[in-house]
DNA sequence: CTGATTTATTTTAAGCTTAAAACATTTTCG
DNA sequence: CGAAAATGTTTTAAGCTTAAAATAAATCAG
């Protein structure tokens, strides 16, 4: 999988030489650092200026994009969090009046979750600030750098998805 | 902060036109998706194959790099998690015999945390598998793509750090 | 030296998160 | 149809995480 093409006999291969992948590791740690730093700062600002947690913001962001509402399973898939996690999150936001739950007309197991008017208004205000913050945090990157990074992250997502579904290369 | 240089009068500026930054937002969401996907997969595999949580693995990884041990504050800064969080994490790993705590000789407030021999051995085994997994997850990226991504993430880290410390541009 | 500030850590309360098991309903198919 | 599998959700137990307040020790300033 890359590296040298010198002929290694089966013996050598079977010996399972360590095969270091330090560069990939460094790449992953840097990606994680960026993500953690930015997420932490956004979390801090959301709490400070709007007294809201990041998970609640994220949940409302998903619902804002779905005017007709979504089921818990849809939310779970989109947000990449466990089902059980959402049960509690939705419960708390329903109690605080930010969202509505109604049983699906076609499937009595499922609930359709949607933002209330108040919830939507509150989210829109937060979203505007959030967008500004993100632009500020990425502010030093040129348009070209942003475009390149976007492409490389798309490739990364594809690569990871690939490695997760099936083939061990 | 980029965009056009057409002369906007103060009036127009004061009107605070929405100024959309959707591209930065998309970039951030993609970064977050990559990070979340990979982290989730690593978490899953660590649990499945080694019955260990990701936070514990991360803590041991820091300690493995510091043979003489580190204080909780050092760990807190390096891992970018709260101090209180570490208290519990360290407590659980000390109980399970993975690490040692001793009071600092020069500062009676501080503890020096270090891996036990057993802890180190266990970590090394996990780290080897971890490195392979990461290489696999990033496997579709060419060497050049990896290098480019590395550079752009360094720029991103710098940009975010910049925006966090002081100047609101 | 002593009071004020800083630094290191723990505690507390609340909420987030997961995996696994349990439960409820729908869909599939023999 | 009716059993089996699949899907949608909740519950449970454990652990993670944070912010804020509390405690303790070291350092600084006068």
């Amino acid at each position: 999988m890359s590296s040298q093409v010198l002929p290694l006999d089966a013996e050598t291969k079977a010996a399972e030489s360590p095969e270091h992948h330090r560069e990939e590791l460094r790449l992953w740690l840097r990606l994680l650092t960026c993500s953690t730093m930015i997420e932490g700062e956004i979390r801090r600002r959301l709490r400070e200026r709007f007294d809201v947690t990041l998970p609640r913001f994220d949940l409302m962001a998903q619902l804002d994009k779905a005017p007709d509402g979504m089921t818990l399973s849809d939310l779970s898939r989109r947000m990449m969090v466990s089902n059980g996690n959402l049960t509690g999150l939705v419960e708390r936001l329903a109690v605080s009046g930010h969202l509505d739950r109604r049983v699906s007309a076609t499937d009595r197991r499922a609930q359709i979750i949607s933002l209330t008017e108040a919830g939507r208004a509150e989210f829109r205000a937060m979203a505007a600030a959030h967008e500004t913050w993100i632009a500020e945090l990425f502010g030093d990157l040129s348009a070209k750098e942003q475009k390149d990074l976007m492409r490389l992250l798309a490739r990364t997502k594809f690569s990871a998805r690939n490695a997760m579904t099936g083939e061990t290369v």
Side-chain angles (χ1 to χ4, degrees), chain A:
Chain A
M1 104 183 359
S2 87
S3 78
Q4 307 240 355
V5 198
L6 295 176
L8 297 177
D9 61 320
E11 205 95 349
T12 312
K13 265 185 184 156
E16 277 183 31
S17 53
E19 262 236 56
H20 284 308
H21 297 287
R22 292 203 195 286
E23 285 311 307
E24 285 91 340
L25 196 50
R26 276 177 20 95
L27 183 52
W28 164 236
L29 293 177
R30 187 164 291 176
L31 176 56
L32 191 54
T33 297
C34 285
S35 178
T36 304
M37 268 180 59
I38 297 173
E39 185 171 324
E41 181 69 7
I42 294 299
R43 183 191 305 279
R44 201 183 63 69
R45 295 191 190 187
L46 281 174
R47 174 177 299 272
E48 182 177 295
R49 310 235 189 130
F50 297 106
D51 193 32
V52 75
T53 65
L54 183 53
R56 289 178 195 198
F57 177 82
D58 287 342
L59 173 50
M60 287 193 272
Q62 291 298 328
L63 291 175
D64 187 56
K65 290 189 289 191
D68 297 336
M70 306 171 71
T71 65
L72 283 169
S73 295
D74 291 339
L75 284 167
S76 171
R77 273 186 288 271
R78 295 272 195 103
M79 296 175 68
M80 295 193 277
V81 301
S82 67
N83 245 320
N85 190 354
L86 276 173
T87 296
L89 210 43
V90 164
E91 170 64 23
R92 286 182 289 270
L93 276 174
V95 167
S96 63
H98 291 85
L99 47 83
D100 268 337
R101 283 179 287 196
R102 61 182 197 285
V103 173
S104 165
T106 59
D107 186 339
R108 281 186 320 184
R109 292 168 305 181
Q111 303 176 44
I112 313 288
I113 316 296
S114 56
L115 285 176
T116 59
E117 272 318 304
R120 187 174 303 276
E122 198 171 315
F123 172 74
R124 293 280 169 89
M126 297 190 293
H130 177 262
E131 193 172 292
T132 303
W133 295 338
I134 294 298
E136 188 189 328
L137 288 162
F138 283 89
D140 283 353
L141 273 65
S142 71
K144 174 171 180 357
E145 284 175 326
Q146 288 188 24
K147 188 176 124 285
D148 290 348
L149 183 50
M150 193 76 177
R151 187 189 74 85
L152 288 167
L153 289 173
R155 294 269 305 129
T156 302
K157 186 171 156 187
F158 172 81
S159 178
R161 182 86 63 192
N162 235 10
M164 287 165 62
T165 61
E167 339 97 80
T168 320
V169 178

